[in-house]
Amino acid sequence: QFFFDEDRRKSLAEHREKLKTVVFQRGLGSMYEKTERLMALTTAIVEEMAAGDADDAALADAQRAAELSKADLVTGMVTEFTELQGIMGREYALLDGESPAVARAIDEQYMPRFAGDELPQTPLGVALSVADKIDNIVGTFSQGRIPTGSQDPFGLRRQALGLVLMLIEQESTMLLSDLVDEACDLYDLEEFRDKMQVYVADFIRLRLKNVLSERGVRYDVQEAVLGDVDLVADVPVRAAYVERLLASEGGEALVQSFVRVGNIARSVTGGTVDPALFKAEEEGALLSAYQVAATARAEGEDTLLAEQALGRAIDTFFDAVMVMDKDARVKENRLSLLKMIDDDLLETADYSKIVLN
């Protein structure tokens, strides 16, 4: 009661000023400065979640939730009972007359607090939680404090897993690289940007591997889909598709066909495909099958039937056509066709990682 009464002498917004005296991390400024970054990050994420069509009220709430997000850390209640961080922020925000969306987001920013904990359920809560976690990860990594072995003093593995689970549950179209770029801008990490992208992607890849393992996904399928983790929410979807493809009739033969294309195409730089240079009808049939499969993927349709047809076209092509034709232009055209197909297949998985019986 004493702490509560003392805290209520000021509004949450007034408590925020004291954050200027609280260090976020060595080398990363104060908690006040962190809230300044969160204001920019959360607003950008809300815009992204709304596909650039967020209304003024949603953007104002995003700004306010981020602004007040850490203010309860300097209250007497949270100083004495640290496990109440976010919870007291929510309650004090409501008592101050802040919007319910802002108050709930202040609480949800810390979710999931532990393994198996619930995830944020409101759009603003998700946005603030994602912003907080990516800011923590990029900021800590920028100081060379990347978790190794059992050492993880800032709980970054748990936060990264929470980030992954949120993006998957929301079926989010947010790209990891965009989040990292935004955080790098706010930390002014221009010269470390490329390295940061690699470090964070590798860190998230391991968390995704954990998620796939818990879902019972085959280890080789995991390896096949984890090459590109930029669209985090799409990784489990692609893994499920590859397992379904393998379980389908002729699935392993289909994978062999895809691998055969990759074996030739991976060493090719690629170029435009000119149908006028086709000398065999199998070349045109292969291009047509590829276009059907690529269109199905682009339109979000189930591509299994189209890719099965593509596999048959690949086999027929290799049976009838000598790729390395004496005519250099014909040869390059055929290699470009195979490269185009391989690049498209790689958007789903690197099928060369699949272990066949």
Side-chain angles (χ1 to χ4, degrees):
Q1 186 66 52
F2 169 78
F3 292 127
F4 179 82
D5 291 341
E6 287 296 306
D7 289 344
R8 293 302 299 150
R9 291 178 184 272
K10 293 180 181 178
S11 68
L12 202 55
E14 289 171 320
H15 280 293
R16 178 173 179 256
E17 282 298 306
K18 195 175 178 182
L19 291 175
K20 292 177 179 178
T21 67
V22 179
V23 174
F24 167 43
Q25 278 187 41
R26 177 169 45 86
L28 298 179
S30 69
M31 290 299 294
Y32 185 94
E33 291 170 310
K34 179 179 174 66
T35 62
E36 296 279 293
R37 291 192 302 275
L38 289 181
M39 290 168 72
L41 261 175
T42 306
T43 303
I45 291 169
V46 167
E47 283 271 30
E48 174 68 25
M49 290 171 67
D53 195 31
D55 58 37
D56 291 343
L59 295 177
D61 278 352
Q63 286 272 313
R64 190 61 170 168
E67 183 181 19
L68 299 177
S69 59
K70 306 299 179 183
D72 69 338
L73 297 181
V74 292
T75 62
M77 189 73 86
V78 175
T79 301
E80 187 69 19
F81 305 105
T82 55
E83 67 274 18
L84 293 179
Q85 65 178 9
I87 296 170
M88 293 315 301
R90 177 193 68 205
E91 297 304 318
Y92 288 155
L94 289 171
L95 290 169
D96 288 342
E98 302 290 347
S99 79
V102 167
R104 186 167 177 183
I106 292 171
D107 178 22
E108 289 187 329
Q109 69 177 301
Y110 295 107
M111 294 179 177
R113 289 179 166 88
F114 51 84
D117 188 25
E118 65 177 315
L119 301 174
Q121 297 300 306
T122 65
L124 183 52
V126 170
L128 183 56
S129 186
V130 168
D132 187 43
K133 289 169 175 57
I134 202 70
D135 179 84
N136 289 340
I137 292 168
V138 170
T140 307
F141 279 22
S142 73
Q143 299 298 300
R145 303 179 194 130
I146 301 174
T148 56
S150 61
Q151 300 298 310
D152 187 12
F154 299 102
L156 294 183
R157 291 190 182 98
R158 173 180 57 78
Q159 294 182 56
L161 180 58
L163 175 65
V164 164
L165 292 174
M166 279 189 289
L167 294 176
I168 291 172
E169 183 178 81
Q170 296 292 318
E171 299 180 355
S172 174
T173 58
M174 280 188 285
L175 298 180
L176 182 62
S177 57
D178 288 346
L179 292 171
V180 174
D181 264 339
E182 190 76 25
C184 284
D185 287 342
L186 295 167
Y187 275 112
D188 194 20
L189 298 175
E190 186 58 43
E191 58 186 295
F192 300 112
R193 187 183 300 271
D194 291 343
K195 284 186 177 180
M196 191 61 65
Q197 290 285 5
V198 173
Y199 292 155
V200 175
D202 286 345
F203 196 60
I204 294 297
R205 185 174 288 110
L206 290 173
R207 311 289 80 78
L208 274 164
K209 192 174 182 67
N210 292 340
V211 171
L212 295 179
S213 294
E214 287 186 1
R215 295 186 176 191
V217 175
R218 282 171 44 166
Y219 77 94
D220 55 338
V221 173
Q222 293 179 30
E223 294 300 315
V225 300
L226 284 171
D228 180 4
V229 298
D230 202 22
L231 184 53
V232 172
D234 194 44
V235 174
V237 176
R238 291 190 282 118
Y241 173 80
V242 173
E243 290 205 314
R244 187 161 65 92
L245 182 147
L246 283 166
S248 67
E249 185 176 351
E252 292 206 348
L254 182 57
V255 168
Q256 287 177 324
S257 300
F258 292 166
V259 171
R260 193 175 180 186
V261 171
N263 288 341
I264 297 174
R266 299 286 163 87
S267 60
V268 178
T269 55
T272 57
V273 177
D274 183 1
L277 292 173
F278 289 165
K279 294 172 64 177
E281 65 179 35
E282 289 82 3
E283 293 174 272
L286 179 57
L287 176 61
S288 178
Y290 155 74
Q291 289 171 334
V292 170
T295 300
R297 177 179 291 106
E299 294 179 355
E301 298 175 2
D302 187 351
T303 59
L304 184 57
L305 289 177
E307 290 198 342
Q308 288 173 333
L310 175 61
R312 291 191 292 272
I314 290 170
D315 293 339
T316 303
F317 171 84
F318 281 125
D319 288 343
V321 174
M322 177 66 70
V323 176
M324 301 303 179
D325 195 87
K326 293 179 182 179
D327 186 325
R329 292 199 308 156
V330 172
K331 179 185 76 172
E332 292 302 322
N333 200 52
R334 288 172 178 171
L335 288 172
S336 294
L337 174 59
L338 294 176
K339 177 67 172 175
M340 185 169 65
I341 293 169
D342 187 51
D343 286 347
D344 191 65
L345 292 172
L346 282 171
E347 290 188 18
T348 299
D350 180 354
Y351 287 99
S352 67
K353 305 284 188 185
I354 300 296
V355 178
L356 301 174
N357 295 324

